[in-house]
């Protein structure tokens, strides 16, 4: 793809120390857990995102008994300026303005373009993109999500995703080029890991499943504006908000809501990979599946790293 570029980020991504009252951060600032109730789980990135830089999280823990799932997006509001962190990202944070939030559902998170090619704007209103409401075709299901169309078009998309994943080492969004290596969730090592891993790769599992990886980024469109994109297990869901003012700092928003209990930030390496990553890639080229690592004479810590990351 001519003219493509990789965002160069040297910052270690962390959660902001300002967050919802029910959130507890891990010692390194990359894990956020909602310790009680189903709300007050709003988190922010510690620093504003750079253009094309993805803020990627993995769902580490779920909690049964609640309706609704993870919510992600962007805000132009510096968390330090908030008198109180809103109880909900939707609608509390979006009602404050300058915030664009997307509710991740169990099915069909792909953005459906409007006939005129405009997927939304400031006057999108109820159900539109500016307000951060549910997107795409589908009806409300019992989980508060959108039950997607499972017709022929869906099956064709899946076949295409299968092909492109194994061919392309990068995800392309306009002129942004992001390494796929860390974008896709992985199952816990076990007897059926090779089957589950392929399901993550093709997005056959629900995006809200444990170990799914969900990211948010913005892509500059010129004239000081940008589009917000959501990426689920290596697949771009499309421009879920358009015309965002990009002249001001934009922070990632992650709402650890309801059935989502705990998330962890996954660091994406742009440009030159670390020596550890290069070592892992070299090893994986010579094995059928990562579970075959158990038969190799390698240090246990290295095996563990290759299996999980």
């Amino acid at each position: 793809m001519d003219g493509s570029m990789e965002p160069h980020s040297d910052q270690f991504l962390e959660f902001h120390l300002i967050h919802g009252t029910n959130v507890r951060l891990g010692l390194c600032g990359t894990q956020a857990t909602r310790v009680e109730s189903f709300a007050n789980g709003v988190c922010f990135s510690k620093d504003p995102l750079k253009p094309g830089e993805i803020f990627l999280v993995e769902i580490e823990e779920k909690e049964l008994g609640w309706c609704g799932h993870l919510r992600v997006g962007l805000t132009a509001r510096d968390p330090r300026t908030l008198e109180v962190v809103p109880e909900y990202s939707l609608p509390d944070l979006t009602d404050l303005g300058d915030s664009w939030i997307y509710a991740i559902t169990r099915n069909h998170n792909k953005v459906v373009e409007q006939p005129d090619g405009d997927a939304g704007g400031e006057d999108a209103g109820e159900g539109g993109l500016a307000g951060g409401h549910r997107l795409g075709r589908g009806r409300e299901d019992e989980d508060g999500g959108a039950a997607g169309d499972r017709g022929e078009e869906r099956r064709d998309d899946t076949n295409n995703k299968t092909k492109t994943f194994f061919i392309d080492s990068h995800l392309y969004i306009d002129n942004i080029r992001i390494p796929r290596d860390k974008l896709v969730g992985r199952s816990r090592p076990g007897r059926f890991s090779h089957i589950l891993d392929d399901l993550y790769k093709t997005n056959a599992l629900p995006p809200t499943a444990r170990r799914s990886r969900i990211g948010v980024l913005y892509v500059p469109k010129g004239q000081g504006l940008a589009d917000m994109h959501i990426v689920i297990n290596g697949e771009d869901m499309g421009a879920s908000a358009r015309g965002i003012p990009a002249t001001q700092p934009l922070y990632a928003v992650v709402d650890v809501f309801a059935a989502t209990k705990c998330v962890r930030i996954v660091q994406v390496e742009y440009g030159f990979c670390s020596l550890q990553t290069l070592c892992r890639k070299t090893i994986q080229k010579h094995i059928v599946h990562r579970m075959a690592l158990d038969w190799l004479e390698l240090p246990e810590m290295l095996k563990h790293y290759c299996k999980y990351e």
Side-chain angles (χ1 to χ4, degrees), residues 11-71:
Q11 64 181 355
F12 183 79
L13 298 179
E14 301 174 60
F15 286 114
H16 207 290
L17 293 178
I18 295 175
H19 50 68
T21 56
N22 284 336
V23 171
R24 297 293 179 272
L25 299 183
L27 293 177
C28 62
T30 60
Q31 185 186 62
T33 304
R34 194 187 68 255
V35 294
E36 60 181 68
S37 183
F38 63 94
N40 284 303
V42 177
C43 302
F44 306 95
S45 59
K46 180 180 178 181
D47 301 297
L49 298 184
K50 298 177 181 178
E53 180 181 32
I54 188 168
F55 192 85
L56 183 68
V57 298
E58 178 176 289
I59 298 175
E60 283 205 324
E61 189 177 345
K62 303 288 292 295
E63 186 172 29
L64 300 177
W66 301 115
C67 291
H69 302 278
L70 189 72
R71 297 165 173 185

Side-chain angles (χ1 to χ4, degrees), residues 115-128:
D116 59 1
D118 183 11
E122 290 302 318
D123 58 349
E126 183 68 25

Side-chain angles (χ1 to χ4, degrees), residues 42-260:
V42 177
C43 302
F44 306 95
S45 59
K46 180 180 178 181
D47 301 297
L49 298 184
K50 298 177 181 178
E53 180 181 32
I54 188 168
F55 192 85
L56 183 68
V57 298
E58 178 176 289
I59 298 175
E60 283 205 324
E61 189 177 345
K62 303 288 292 295
E63 186 172 29
L64 300 177
W66 301 115
C67 291
H69 302 278
L70 189 72
R71 297 165 173 185
V72 299
L74 298 171
T75 183
R77 293 183 170 268
D78 188 328
R80 296 171 297 180
T81 66
L82 296 173
E83 294 184 9
V84 177
V85 176
E87 184 176 7
Y88 305 98
S89 60
L90 288 172
D92 297 5
L93 182 58
T94 54
D95 282 351
L96 295 177
D98 298 324
S99 297
W100 303 266
I101 313 295
Y102 186 107
I104 304 301
T105 63
R106 292 188 304 178
N107 300 290
H108 200 75
N109 294 273
K110 197 88 171 179
V111 174
V112 176
E113 300 289 346
Q114 300 298 324
D116 59 1
D118 183 11
E122 290 302 318
D123 58 349
E126 183 68 25
L129 303 182
H133 297 285
R134 185 170 55 89
L135 305 176
R137 298 171 298 179
R139 66 184 188 280
E140 289 288 325
D141 65 9
E142 70 280 4
D143 227 4
D149 183 350
R150 298 177 179 272
E152 196 66 35
E153 181 181 352
R154 177 78 172 182
R155 288 195 291 272
D156 289 343
D157 286 346
T158 300
N159 290 336
N160 185 56
K161 283 183 289 183
T162 305
K163 294 175 183 177
T164 58
F165 181 87
F166 291 106
I167 294 174
D168 294 338
S169 61
H170 289 75
L171 171 67
Y172 295 93
I173 304 176
D174 290 348
N175 67 327
I176 301 297
R177 185 171 177 261
I178 306 173
R180 282 188 186 271
D181 188 44
K182 297 288 187 71
L183 299 183
V184 183
R186 291 184 168 206
S187 64
R188 295 186 182 279
R191 183 177 179 184
F192 301 105
S193 294
H194 61 293
I195 299 175
L196 290 173
D197 286 351
D198 287 342
L199 295 179
Y200 282 113
K201 290 175 182 178
T202 57
N203 257 334
L205 291 177
T208 56
R210 186 180 287 108
R211 301 185 73 82
S212 279
R213 294 185 176 182
I214 299 170
V216 60
L217 70 152
Y218 69 92
V219 179
K221 303 298 289 185
Q223 299 181 334
L225 300 176
D227 290 349
M228 181 181 82
H229 285 251
I230 304 296
V231 175
I232 299 178
N233 286 319
E235 182 187 1
D236 174 28
M237 296 292 110
S240 50
R242 295 182 182 274
I244 294 175
T247 55
Q248 52 193 325
L250 293 171
Y251 294 80
V253 179
V254 176
D255 190 352
V256 188
F257 178 71
T260 302

Side-chain angles (χ1 to χ4, degrees), residues 246-283:
T247 55
Q248 52 193 325
L250 293 171
Y251 294 80
V253 179
V254 176
D255 190 352
V256 188
F257 178 71
T260 302
K261 176 77 171 176
C262 177
V263 298
R264 173 181 62 90
I265 298 174
V266 179
Q267 309 293 333
V268 177
E269 296 176 326
Y270 303 95
F272 292 107
C273 296
S274 66
L275 182 59
Q276 193 177 35
T277 299
L278 290 173
C279 181
R280 173 169 56 82
K281 286 184 175 180
T282 301
I283 293 172

